[in-house]
Amino acid sequence: DWLDKGLVSHPEATTIQTPDLDLERGKEGWVRRGQAGSESTTAAEDKEQLTGIADAITGLQVTGVAEAEAGAVPPDAYAVTVTGADGTSAQLSFYRSGASYLVYDSASEKTFEISQYDFERIAGDTDEDAVPATDEEASTTPPEQNAMQHAEYETEPDTEPAPIPAGETPKQG
């Protein structure tokens, strides 16, 4: 099974709109819309941040095709609109489903899996209350079963060494 990892990348994008930013590609790179003629006044740190976000979106790589149901995109998904030089646009909707990081692409009408790293670069941690998958699994396991699963990994007993009676010296060796 071969998958083109660049299915949702938009390297020819000229504008990017997110809930937080409205960017356009200027002569010297990505800038906030309306500042295209004043790239030199954009702080270097801000310009680096804008370029990082724009590069993450325009070069987005998928890791797989998701088995999401039609209409599964939640209303609070992080929406990004990317427009190309020819005026065509696509909306990318970023959201989490369990331990998966997903993006729905309106152009292909498909949902893809992406890395946590790419997800957080673009959308941030949109679900701060989410528990990592390993903790979710542990929290749904009954305590006694959880203890038994972890007992096999213990290498030393949970006992304290016996105290040395008064007047004796510890044996060495």
Side-chain angles (χ1 to χ4, degrees):
D1 294 334
W2 182 80
L3 175 68
D4 177 3
K5 296 195 182 299
L7 284 170
V8 295
S9 65
H10 296 275
E12 304 300 320
T14 56
T15 64
I16 297 173
Q17 292 177 294
T18 75
D20 308 312
L21 297 168
D22 191 358
L23 305 176
E24 64 183 333
R25 193 185 305 252
K27 292 177 187 175
E28 296 180 28
W30 289 96
V31 295
R32 294 178 193 277
R33 195 182 300 231
Q35 294 181 345
S38 59
E39 286 97 346
S40 59
T41 62
T42 303
E45 185 176 302
D46 187 43
K47 191 170 189 173
E48 187 176 313
Q49 180 184 11
L50 298 179
T51 300
I53 293 168
D55 288 350
I57 294 168
T58 60
L60 183 61
Q61 300 285 299
V62 300
T63 59
V65 178
E67 297 292 329
E69 296 177 25
V73 177
D76 62 342
Y78 190 84
V80 174
T81 303
V82 181
T83 306
D86 61 358
T88 60
S89 65
Q91 181 164 331
L92 303 174
S93 301
F94 295 85
Y95 64 101
R96 289 181 61 181
S97 177
S100 298
Y101 297 88
L102 306 173
V103 60
Y104 172 80
D105 176 37
S106 67
S108 67
E109 297 183 352
K110 294 193 183 321
T111 302
F112 300 94
E113 295 176 359
I114 61 172
S115 70
Q116 178 181 354
Y117 174 75
D118 282 340
F119 181 89
E120 290 177 353
R121 282 177 61 197
I122 296 167
D125 187 7
T126 60
D127 192 3
E128 293 176 14
D129 296 330
V131 179
T134 53
D135 289 343
E136 279 180 14
E137 292 165 7
S139 69
T140 60
T141 304
E144 60 280 351
Q145 184 179 354
N146 197 12
M148 289 187 313
Q149 288 173 345
H150 294 294
E152 66 186 276
Y153 296 108
E154 290 183 17
T155 56
E156 297 193 21
D158 286 338
T159 58
E160 294 284 325
I164 300 170
E168 290 186 27
T169 57
K171 294 180 182 177
Q172 303 221 350

